[in-house]
């Protein structure tokens, strides 16, 4: 009976309608399954989402230049996405957003790549959003700069609008890369560093634009426990029902930026984002482990303990070009709750049948690691 309930819960989680029988017994069973699915802990689901969710195709002339000068780099970033709102409407339950700090505004207003190919690109930023102070969204300075959203503020405003229009939507995980790495080549803009003050500002803009009622934060998960990790190990995640209509942000960084974000906030007290903290530390809750083949055993062990893991189905277009689903299949089996891909739809950049989804073209299901 328990296995039947879990299987039926997977159907409900995928957005399908539970089969309704002609007698009361079947109706009672469907009702029971729906109730149990709603009470399933957040860490007992598995979702598919997009990698670099904001990304548009590289300027065509610039892409051809890149292919001639660095073919491997060009191939690795030769992908794009439909709009973030379209992704959410499809049912994707994870987004990834790269952000660059721009305190004064204008730092990235005219990508050098446009000059390199003698493209004035009047359509790039007609509203002059890049001149505004605040976080910007794009992949690689000067080269891969086209984005469905140029500013984080505008992105968050649309996420809130979408959420308000879809009350009770499935929880959406959002991983964020705080990008400040310089490219040691002539002509490349040197990014601003993510200092403690800049990371504080990141928290503020998310709170200001989304509102606390739209978020699941470390404080909420920690609850009565002395540390966030103790709460996680005691399975203190909210239920799927409690998480509906919410966003969960994760800072996908290590070392200095992670340390800076945690400093002064033990167990991430008062913070908005989870922090990709290592197991055994008070802040450990959601971790990034991107190779589900090499790290399969570790991922399974951590998931069973209560942590939430983000992994990847593919990277750098490699799996799509080979139509190789082995990494995606490993990700599914690992139990990692969040699986990211560039190919929830087939590529429009090259010919390939590679495409990622769960059975029934769904992007959310009950986690197979907890089936009995």
């Amino acid at each position: 009976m328990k296995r039947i309930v879990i299987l039926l819960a997977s159907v409900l989680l995928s957005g399908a309608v539970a089969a309704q029988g002609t007698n009361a017994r079947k109706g009672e069973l469907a009702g029971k399954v729906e109730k149990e699915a709603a009470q399933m802990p957040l860490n007992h689901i598995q979702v598919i989402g997009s990698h670099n969710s904001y990304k548009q195709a590289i300027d065509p002339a610039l892409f051809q230049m890149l292919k001639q000068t660095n073919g491997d780099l060009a191939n690795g970033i030769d992908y794009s996405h439909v709009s973030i709102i379209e992704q959410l409407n499809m049912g994707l339950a994870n987004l990834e957003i790269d952000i660059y700090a721009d305190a004064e505004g204008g730092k990235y207003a005219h990508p050098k790549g446009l000059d390199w190919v003698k493209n004035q690109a009047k359509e790039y930023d007609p509203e002059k959003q890049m001149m505004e102070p605040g976080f910007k969204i794009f992949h690689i300075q000067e080269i891969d700069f086209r984005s469905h959203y140029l500013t984080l503020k505008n992105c968050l405003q649309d996420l809130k609008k979408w959420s308000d229009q879809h009350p009770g939507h499935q929880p959406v995980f959002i991983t964020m890369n705080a990008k400040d790495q310089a490219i040691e080549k002539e002509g490349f803009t040197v990014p601003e560093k993510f200092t403690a003050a800049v990371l504080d500002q990141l928290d503020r803009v998310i709170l200001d634009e989304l509102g606390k009622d739209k978020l699941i934060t470390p404080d909420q998960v920690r609850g009565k426990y002395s540390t966030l990790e103790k709460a996680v190990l005691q399975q203190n995640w909210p239920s799927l029902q409690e998480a509906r209509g919410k966003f969960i942000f994760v800072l996908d960084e290590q070392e200095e930026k992670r340390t800076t974000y945690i400093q002064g906030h033990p167990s991430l007290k008062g913070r908005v984002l989870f922090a990709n903290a290592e197991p055994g530390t008070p802040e450990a809750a959601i971790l990034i482990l991107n190779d589900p083949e090499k790290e399969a055993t570790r991922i399974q062990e951590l998931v069973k303990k209560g942590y939430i893991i983000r992994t990847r189905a593919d990277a750098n277009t490699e799996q799509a070009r080979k139509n190789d689903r082995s990494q995606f299949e490993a990700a599914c089996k690992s139990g990692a709750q969040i699986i990211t891909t560039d190919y929830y739809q087939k590529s429009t950049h090259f010919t390939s049948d590679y495409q990622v989804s769960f059975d029934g073209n769904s992007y959310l299901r009950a986690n197979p690691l907890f089936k009995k």
Side-chain angles (χ1 to χ4, degrees):
M1 176 63 181
K2 185 172 183 180
R3 178 169 174 76
I4 293 174
V5 167
I6 292 175
L7 290 173
L8 287 174
S10 292
V11 174
L12 288 166
L13 286 169
S14 70
V17 177
Q20 294 183 357
T22 57
N23 56 53
R25 172 67 183 135
K26 289 185 178 180
E28 290 171 3
L29 178 59
K32 181 178 180 181
V33 170
E34 186 170 4
K35 184 176 180 180
E36 291 199 17
Q39 295 307 311
M40 184 178 293
L42 183 61
N43 62 317
H44 282 211
I45 64 174
Q46 193 171 53
V47 307
I48 291 172
S50 59
H51 161 255
N52 290 343
S53 312
Y54 56 85
K55 190 177 176 321
Q56 294 184 329
I58 300 170
D59 176 88
L62 183 55
F63 181 71
Q64 290 304 315
M65 187 195 81
L66 287 174
K67 285 197 72 171
Q68 294 173 8
T69 58
N70 191 330
D72 289 341
L73 171 63
N75 283 342
I77 56 179
D78 187 19
Y79 61 92
S80 60
H81 293 292
V82 299
S83 75
I84 283 177
I85 298 304
E86 288 179 86
Q87 294 174 46
L88 293 172
N89 287 338
M90 290 174 63
L92 270 66
N94 170 250
L95 303 172
E96 183 180 61
I97 300 174
D98 291 340
I99 55 171
Y100 288 78
D102 186 10
E104 296 182 3
K107 192 174 184 69
Y108 305 101
H110 189 92
K112 305 295 193 308
L114 298 177
D115 295 331
W116 298 337
V117 294
K118 296 179 171 57
N119 183 347
Q120 297 303 311
K122 294 179 181 178
E123 76 282 2
Y124 169 60
D125 182 20
E127 297 177 358
K128 306 299 182 185
Q129 295 178 45
M130 296 297 274
M131 296 302 296
E132 300 172 5
F135 297 102
K136 304 304 191 297
I137 298 176
F138 58 91
H139 190 209
I140 304 172
Q141 60 267 43
E142 322 308 344
I143 294 174
D144 198 1
F145 48 81
R146 293 191 180 276
S147 172
H148 286 291
Y149 291 103
L150 299 181
T151 71
L152 177 60
K153 181 178 179 179
N154 284 353
C155 179
L156 293 171
Q157 288 173 346
D158 271 9
L159 288 177
K160 185 178 188 305
K161 186 184 301 182
W162 176 85
S163 182
D164 288 342
Q165 292 170 349
H166 299 81
H169 63 79
Q170 64 193 33
V172 178
F173 296 91
I174 300 179
T175 55
M176 305 190 83
N177 291 116
K179 302 191 80 168
D180 61 8
Q181 183 176 358
I183 296 175
E184 302 296 336
K185 290 187 178 181
E186 185 178 354
F188 281 79
T189 301
V190 178
E192 295 177 20
K193 288 295 183 181
F194 273 82
T195 62
V198 174
L199 290 168
D200 287 346
Q201 181 59 34
L202 177 59
D203 275 2
R204 283 195 293 271
V205 71
I206 294 173
L207 285 170
D208 288 347
E209 300 302 335
L210 282 181
K212 195 170 184 179
D213 63 318
K214 294 285 186 185
L215 302 172
I216 293 175
T217 64
D219 284 343
Q220 294 168 14
V221 175
R222 188 179 68 256
K224 65 181 181 181
Y225 292 91
S226 59
T227 71
L228 177 59
E229 184 180 50
K230 286 182 179 179
V232 165
L233 296 177
Q234 291 299 316
Q235 312 296 316
N236 201 46
W237 293 103
S239 69
L240 184 61
Q241 180 61 37
E242 292 168 332
R244 288 196 179 277
K246 310 280 188 181
F247 298 93
I248 306 102
F249 285 83
V250 185
L251 182 63
D252 182 5
E253 294 294 345
Q254 298 180 357
E255 299 174 349
E256 184 177 355
K257 277 178 277 190
R258 178 176 61 190
T259 299
T260 301
Y261 190 71
I262 293 172
Q263 190 172 12
H265 299 267
S267 285
L268 296 173
K269 183 176 181 181
R271 282 303 198 188
V272 171
L273 293 88
F274 291 83
N276 187 27
E278 289 295 325
T281 64
E283 296 76 26
I286 303 180
L287 290 82
I288 313 294
L289 296 173
N290 283 328
D291 192 332
E293 293 179 304
K294 292 182 179 179
E295 299 178 292
T297 300
R298 186 176 185 223
I299 292 173
Q300 286 195 3
E301 290 174 349
L302 292 173
V303 169
K304 289 178 180 178
K305 287 181 179 179
Y307 302 97
I308 288 178
I309 307 297
R310 196 293 294 270
T311 196
R312 295 183 66 173
D314 42 72
N316 304 321
T317 77
E318 293 176 7
Q319 287 76 16
R321 293 179 187 277
K322 299 174 184 176
N323 196 20
D324 179 4
R325 294 174 59 85
S326 59
Q327 184 165 318
F328 170 60
E329 292 166 358
C332 292
K333 292 177 183 177
S334 75
Q337 292 91 340
I338 307 166
I339 303 172
T340 67
T341 180
D342 292 315
Y343 300 100
Y344 48 89
Q345 296 177 325
K346 292 181 182 179
S347 175
T348 58
H349 295 245
F350 49 83
T351 301
S352 174
D353 288 330
Y354 182 81
Q355 188 173 359
V356 165
S357 68
F358 298 131
D359 291 344
N361 294 320
S362 67
Y363 304 103
L364 186 150
R365 68 176 184 176
N367 195 313
L369 213 59
F370 296 100
K371 291 180 180 179
K372 295 181 180 179

